[in-house]
Amino acid sequence: MRYLVTGSAGFIGNHVALTLLERGHEVLGVDNLNSYYDPRLKAARRARLTAKPSYQDAELDIADAAALAPALDAFQPERILHLAAQAGVRYSVENPTAYADSNLVGFTNILEAARAHGVDHLVYASTSSVYGANARAPFEERHGAAHPLSFYAATKRANEAMAHAYAHLFKIPCTGLRFFTVYGPWGRPDMALFKFPAAMLEGRPIDVYNNGQMARDFTYIDDIVGGVLAVADHPARPAADHALASAAPDPDQSGVAPHRLFNIGRGAPVELMAFIRVLEEKLGRKAEINFMPMQPGDVAATCASTDALEAAVGYRATTPVEEGVSRFVDWYRKHYGV
């Protein structure tokens, strides 16, 4: 099968594209290799793909429809895994325009590409951040997500609504995945698991927000990839229960469109201070901590219910945090020679 994978030089997109290639599929990877974080890491990720004979690469911006269209016309994708986005809660406070360009304009272009090429499934990245002010835990898709607390989360919630509209209007099967704190080898340098060991190995203090009173549903990258590809093989369909098209429809599935929303996480949140202790053990270094106040747009805790995804595709995350952190530290030491 021919897959378009956007964000192919990004963290999740790179792992997904590589796994598809190893399974014998053809992949067109699209990424603009922007400078939000070190482009050298993105180039190193891309090099893992370009060595594969079934891989084609297009360095372009998804917000540039004039550049995107001919690349897709030449490739003729059968399925789209849209994992490109401007990510990060805190950066969206500083530079909201970047999020509008990539996450709104860019996503519109991807929806149009799905329509133009009649793909059998569009799977796209959403985020646990859409739950925003929701204080119920674990987060369940049926709770809804009407109160995002950051512009990043607002753009991803908009993506969910946009995808539902296209699914309804053009009968394009669309599935949105709300990712919960993904970590592992080749990860994002703007995330805590990457920042903390870098600082600790260099003898620098680490900034810990909300005075350490934070918890995250840390989910290892291999578990995420398995879930993404399992979902890709199960195109969304309108819910069989037509009551879902009534005056009180279920927020996570539609009675009128082939559209679904799923959480994808580990379902077992870890306190940030406990996570730091695991890092200290694996690195053999004690962390010097700067306790900081809560940052604008952030939330104190996330916790995924993955019951719906398990029922739909058999997904279950299995990697313990201790094992995942150990694998990341091994990769980090090897990649950076420390």
Side-chain angles (χ1 to χ4, degrees):
M1 179 167 283
R2 294 187 303 279
Y3 282 85
L4 166 65
V5 178
T6 68
S8 54
F11 176 32
I12 300 174
N14 187 251
H15 280 274
V16 166
L18 187 62
T19 302
L20 286 170
L21 292 166
E22 290 171 346
R23 293 183 181 183
H25 298 287
E26 297 178 58
V27 174
L28 171 65
V30 169
D31 202 295
N32 67 355
L33 280 81
N34 67 29
S35 58
Y36 170 62
Y37 59 79
D38 188 357
R40 293 173 296 179
L41 178 61
K42 297 180 181 182
R45 292 192 193 119
R46 181 171 66 172
R48 303 203 304 158
L49 305 176
T50 54
K52 304 290 185 181
S54 298
Y55 179 72
Q56 298 180 42
D57 189 75
E59 185 176 341
L60 57 86
D61 192 329
I62 58 170
D64 185 350
L68 183 65
L72 302 193
D73 288 344
F75 183 71
Q76 291 294 312
E78 299 171 277
R79 190 172 287 173
I80 297 176
L81 303 183
H82 177 52
L83 302 170
Q86 179 58 61
V89 168
R90 292 165 193 155
Y91 186 59
S92 71
V93 177
E94 303 170 22
N95 189 7
T97 302
Y99 292 76
D101 290 343
S102 182
N103 300 0
L104 300 179
V105 176
F107 191 59
T108 300
N109 292 338
I110 294 300
L111 290 169
E112 278 293 285
R115 179 164 74 104
H117 294 281
V119 299
D120 75 0
H121 199 185
L122 166 61
V123 179
Y124 64 94
S126 186
T127 173
S128 62
S129 295
V130 299
Y131 288 106
N134 176 30
R136 288 183 288 180
F139 297 158
E140 296 182 22
E141 298 89 343
R142 63 185 179 85
H143 289 167
H147 303 101
L149 296 178
S150 68
F151 188 64
Y152 164 60
T155 63
K156 301 306 279 184
R157 184 68 188 100
N159 288 171
E160 296 175 354
M162 294 159 71
H164 182 273
Y166 264 69
H168 170 62
L169 291 169
F170 307 114
K171 309 310 176 191
I172 304 166
C174 296
T175 301
L177 295 175
R178 292 172 172 171
F179 292 110
F180 281 71
T181 315
V182 187
Y183 75 100
W186 298 98
R188 277 175 33 207
D190 62 323
M191 297 188 72
L193 181 59
F194 211 110
K195 288 181 175 180
F196 289 175
M200 291 163 66
L201 288 168
E202 294 171 11
R204 294 185 286 109
I206 62 175
D207 292 337
V208 176
Y209 295 100
N210 200 31
N211 297 306
Q213 302 302 305
M214 306 278 278
R216 290 290 182 267
D217 202 339
F218 294 104
T219 313
Y220 189 65
I221 184 62
D222 289 1
D223 293 325
I224 290 290
V225 171
V228 170
L229 297 185
V231 167
D233 287 335
H234 292 78
R237 297 191 298 262
D241 182 356
H242 291 289
L244 293 169
S246 70
D250 201 327
D252 65 318
Q253 55 185 323
S254 175
V256 298
H259 182 263
R260 285 297 308 267
L261 292 170
F262 292 111
N263 292 335
I264 181 166
R266 186 165 173 265
V270 176
E271 292 184 1
L272 185 57
M273 296 307 298
F275 191 83
I276 291 169
R277 287 194 290 272
V278 173
L279 260 180
E280 289 176 329
E281 179 183 345
K282 300 302 180 183
L283 289 169
R285 301 284 182 95
K286 187 72 174 174
E288 179 185 348
I289 299 175
N290 284 334
F291 286 110
M292 308 281 284
M294 179 72 89
Q295 294 293 287
D298 217 342
V299 296
T302 63
C303 177
S305 167
T306 60
D307 292 347
L309 188 56
E310 183 174 359
V313 302
Y315 169 85
R316 182 183 291 274
T318 60
T319 307
V321 166
E322 294 79 7
E323 181 180 342
V325 170
S326 181
R327 292 179 189 174
F328 172 80
V329 168
D330 289 346
W331 168 82
Y332 187 93
R333 287 187 178 279
K334 181 178 179 181
H335 185 73
Y336 290 102
V338 293

